[in-house]
Amino acid sequence: MSGGTKTMAVLTCAAVVLTTAYTVALGSSGWLWFGSVVLAVATIGLAASDSAAPAGPRRRPPTGPGPANP
């Protein structure tokens, strides 16, 4: 995982903890939970794209006439 992905994961965990504390202290807020779920899904997507295999270098097509085109 890259540094950005780790930072986003930590922020997501902190948001869930703060949302839970808010819910316990003041009552449930649907928008806070919705935001936490959206943030969690975005974090999972970032982690999945970060762990994907990097694409190899692309081969360039020949620029001049090939053996079939004298």
Side-chain angles (χ1 to χ4, degrees):
M1 256 198 290
S2 68
T5 306
K6 288 180 184 178
T7 302
M8 190 163 177
V10 169
L11 290 176
T12 301
C13 290
V16 169
V17 168
L18 290 174
T19 302
T20 303
Y22 181 91
T23 299
V24 168
L26 300 175
S28 182
S29 172
W31 284 111
L32 280 178
W33 283 108
F34 177 75
S36 295
V37 169
V38 168
L39 185 60
V41 169
T43 302
I44 291 168
L46 180 65
S49 68
D50 191 33
S51 66
R58 293 185 180 177
R59 295 176 56 187
R60 296 182 132 187
T63 56
N69 299 327

